[in-house]
Amino acid sequence: MLKRIFGFILIAAFSVLVSYGINSQFLKLSERSLIDQKLMIFFLACSLSYILFMLWVDGVKIQWAWNPPRFDLTALRDNLPGILLSSAFVFVYLRFALILNNFGVAQVDNLFDADVGSWMRRIAFEDVKEFEMRGPHPFTYFIFRPFGQTLNFFTQDPTFSAILLTALVGGLCIYLTWLLVKRKFGSKTYAFLMASLLGVSASHFAFGSIIETYIYSALALVLFCLLVLDESAPPAALVAAGALTFGITLTNFIQNFFAFIVVRPRWREIIRFAGWTIAISLLLTYLHAYIYPASKLFFLVPDVQNEDKFFLDILLMQDWMIRGRILYLIRTLFFYSVVAPKVFILTEEVGSTIPEFRFYKISPGIFHQTDYDGMGQALIIVWALILVISGLVFMWRLIRERKLELPVALILCLLFNFAVHVNYGQELFLYSPDWTYALVLFVAFGLSPFAKNRFFQAGMFVFLVLLAYNQWQFMSIILNSLKAYVATLPPVIP
């Protein structure tokens, strides 16, 4: 024990020296404020200390090997329904994406507050060295740009590369969901239905087409759930998936942590997973800031203060605003993210010439929230019944078996998103891919007793067809509004 304590002290001292040297040499430490200098040295030293200490303690005992299922002709045949389903959604998403994202790098905020233009540039354009990357996305360039640049080689069009990559990621979310449900419940038909539910949800219909980070976050979150349920997956795979989540949007790593502690409640494994993931993610964050100097570091005071504009203090709001905000968040969390409601199309109200699309608007004393009409009313009733039945099955299983499974973590993820977005964000639908996967997987677990019931399968299929039609109408309204706007623009003179 004394040997380890002494060893840790030496490693920590060495890490502090190395951290000081790296920050001074590569990250302009002397130009920072005193508090930022201390934070930069501290976090890198912590990362290095953990990695070096664990390597000293464990040596090469870290389990890196993994033997995933072989993907031969038989495996291809077995996975073909999921592949075809996800491919079909890629084409659907592309159909909308080619119009929704056609305003170039100047496009921002009109589609549910999505920063389309800036993320299009970050994914596939060349001029990003001095283009700011906000702190909540610690090393996103490392994740997006290799794929964006690879697609550029084939398309020779950065705009189309960014559009195509977003649609492909949307399709991959569906395939991973199909794979998870098939492995867990042993029914390809049930997996097809649940993956389709994610694919036709309003959230994935929109953000599989609109360029933003959130569909990428959804992919990382679904991937982590798939791996954490696989007992054969080595710790290294889970750490890599956790780092992927962390790198895209760091707060979503908390959702990974919930899934890990619920599904694998072994404290030594939990501590090692969290330690390795955070340590590696911090190293990548520093490397990212060196290669892309305009990147913000999420733990520095000025970079944290830059995020203030996205925060609201609900306690300082008037009563009508508080009630409206909370009700709007609940509706978005459980309903708008799955069944698309009517959409507000705003122009003069928000001082914009290009139409802006939202699910809320505010006028003096009134917090307006959109609602449902026509077939949407019937669909939302059915969806509410699905949620209620799933919740009752969850409670019955929990009381009967007294065993924590993934649905407990999914509920924690939903509560976490509620807690975050009470005070963060404007158009909350923008963030919906961060939790829609949790809703769909919760329903998949809740309805699993009926997984092989033919009447249930038929009824669910009809619901999904009608839901897909509703979402198609929702997206068409947006497309038609944008087309009408474009028709009013003066012709471009070459």
Side-chain angles (χ1 to χ4, degrees):
M1 185 65 179
L2 286 174
K3 180 182 176 182
R4 288 195 176 184
I5 293 174
F6 183 68
F8 177 77
I9 292 172
L10 288 178
I11 288 172
F14 173 75
S15 297
V16 170
L17 291 175
V18 172
S19 176
Y20 176 79
I22 290 174
N23 280 293
S24 299
Q25 183 69 27
F26 301 110
L27 293 172
K28 302 177 181 177
L29 185 68
S30 61
E31 299 178 12
R32 314 271 184 170
S33 67
L34 182 60
I35 182 65
D36 284 351
Q37 290 180 30
K38 292 178 179 179
L39 288 171
M40 290 179 72
I41 294 171
F42 172 76
F43 279 105
L44 183 55
C46 286
S47 173
L48 292 172
S49 296
Y50 183 87
I51 292 172
L52 293 174
F53 181 74
M54 294 305 294
L55 288 175
W56 177 56
V57 170
D58 289 343
V60 293
K61 290 190 295 185
I62 302 170
Q63 183 186 351
W64 295 97
W66 185 27
N67 296 313
R70 292 179 58 190
F71 205 80
D72 52 19
L73 191 59
T74 302
L76 177 61
R77 210 165 32 239
D78 190 49
N79 288 277
L80 192 59
I83 295 171
L84 292 176
L85 178 66
S86 60
S87 299
F89 273 101
V90 168
F91 286 108
V92 171
Y93 296 156
L94 266 178
R95 189 264 183 189
F96 293 107
L98 290 170
I99 300 175
L100 291 174
N101 305 286
N102 71 346
F103 295 97
V105 293
Q107 186 175 1
V108 62
D109 287 349
N110 73 303
L111 297 169
F112 304 102
D113 273 355
D115 295 330
V116 172
S118 60
W119 285 108
M120 182 188 296
R121 180 176 174 182
R122 290 177 179 125
I123 289 170
F125 282 69
E126 295 293 339
D127 56 337
V128 296
K129 280 283 186 180
E130 301 302 324
F131 190 59
E132 180 185 85
M133 178 66 76
R134 288 169 46 215
H137 311 289
F139 46 93
T140 310
Y141 279 135
F142 286 168
I143 298 167
F144 290 177
R145 290 192 62 75
F147 298 101
Q149 295 297 297
T150 300
L151 288 175
N152 280 345
F153 179 77
F154 297 99
T155 67
Q156 300 297 307
D157 182 352
T159 297
F160 182 65
S161 294
I163 291 171
L164 179 59
L165 183 60
T166 299
L168 289 171
V169 168
L172 190 53
C173 287
I174 295 162
Y175 175 72
L176 293 180
T177 303
W178 179 87
L179 194 60
L180 187 157
V181 177
K182 181 180 78 76
R183 287 183 181 178
K184 182 66 180 178
F185 302 111
S187 170
K188 292 181 183 179
T189 302
Y190 188 61
F192 186 92
L193 294 171
M194 291 299 109
S196 297
L197 177 58
L198 183 70
V200 301
S201 67
S203 175
H204 281 244
F205 230 92
F207 294 104
S209 305
I210 299 169
I211 298 174
E212 248 287 0
T213 61
Y214 298 101
I215 197 68
Y216 297 86
S217 289
L219 174 64
L221 292 164
V222 175
L223 174 63
F224 190 86
C225 288
L226 176 67
L227 290 174
V228 82
L229 290 173
D230 182 359
E231 287 294 333
S232 68
L238 290 161
V239 168
L244 178 67
T245 303
F246 191 108
I248 297 172
T249 304
L250 67 94
T251 51
N252 280 331
F253 174 65
I254 296 173
Q255 299 194 57
N256 287 173
F257 190 69
F258 287 153
F260 196 98
I261 63 175
V262 168
V263 177
R264 303 191 180 196
R266 298 180 285 271
W267 285 108
R268 179 171 292 188
E269 291 184 24
I270 292 169
I271 292 170
R272 292 192 177 197
F273 162 71
W276 275 107
T277 305
I278 294 171
I280 291 172
S281 296
L282 281 171
L283 282 183
L284 290 171
T285 299
Y286 278 86
L287 181 61
H288 188 267
Y290 169 65
I291 295 176
Y292 298 99
S295 298
K296 304 297 183 181
L297 293 169
F298 65 88
F299 47 79
L300 297 187
V301 175
D303 299 344
V304 172
Q305 290 174 338
N306 285 340
E307 296 298 310
D308 286 349
K309 59 188 175 184
F310 300 104
F311 281 92
L312 306 169
D313 191 340
I314 194 170
L315 298 179
L316 299 180
M317 295 180 181
Q318 298 179 38
D319 289 345
W320 65 271
M321 278 284 286
I322 294 174
R323 288 192 300 270
R325 173 81 179 184
I326 292 176
L327 182 58
Y328 168 56
L329 175 54
I330 293 172
R331 285 187 171 191
T332 306
L333 198 66
F334 293 104
F335 302 116
Y336 295 167
S337 57
V338 175
V339 183
K342 295 182 292 185
V343 61
F344 290 127
I345 305 173
L346 309 177
T347 49
E348 293 88 356
E349 302 97 322
V350 292
S352 175
T353 54
I354 182 173
E356 293 194 8
F357 304 91
R358 296 182 185 175
F359 287 152
Y360 83 100
K361 63 180 180 179
I362 297 174
S363 58
I366 302 176
F367 196 115
H368 301 273
Q369 301 168 61
T370 188
D371 215 327
Y372 295 91
D373 60 3
M375 187 174 63
Q377 292 178 322
L379 289 171
I380 202 62
I381 291 171
V382 174
W383 172 243
L385 287 173
I386 288 172
L387 286 177
V388 169
I389 293 169
S390 299
L392 291 174
V393 172
F394 164 75
M395 291 299 299
W396 176 74
R397 280 179 169 168
L398 189 61
I399 294 170
R400 182 183 173 209
E401 300 174 6
R402 298 183 180 180
K403 180 181 176 183
L404 297 182
E405 291 189 304
L406 185 63
V408 176
L410 299 174
I411 290 174
L412 291 175
C413 291
L414 291 168
L415 292 174
F416 167 74
N417 278 288
F418 180 87
V420 168
H421 292 294
V422 161
N423 288 300
Y424 185 87
Q426 298 290 334
E427 173 52 78
L428 300 180
F429 182 64
L430 173 67
Y431 311 98
S432 59
D434 286 348
W435 64 72
T436 302
Y437 84 98
L439 271 179
V440 171
L441 291 181
F442 182 80
V443 165
F445 275 79
L447 299 183
S448 61
F450 317 107
K452 298 180 181 179
N453 183 288
R454 297 299 182 187
F455 292 104
F456 164 78
Q457 291 175 354
M460 193 68 187
F461 180 76
V462 171
F463 171 72
L464 290 173
V465 170
L466 295 177
L467 183 60
Y469 177 76
N470 182 77
Q471 322 298 47
W472 191 281
Q473 294 297 104
F474 156 68
M475 296 293 283
S476 296
I477 289 171
I478 296 174
L479 289 185
N480 291 336
S481 298
L482 289 175
K483 288 177 180 177
Y485 166 74
V486 171
T488 65
L489 297 177
V492 177
I493 300 175

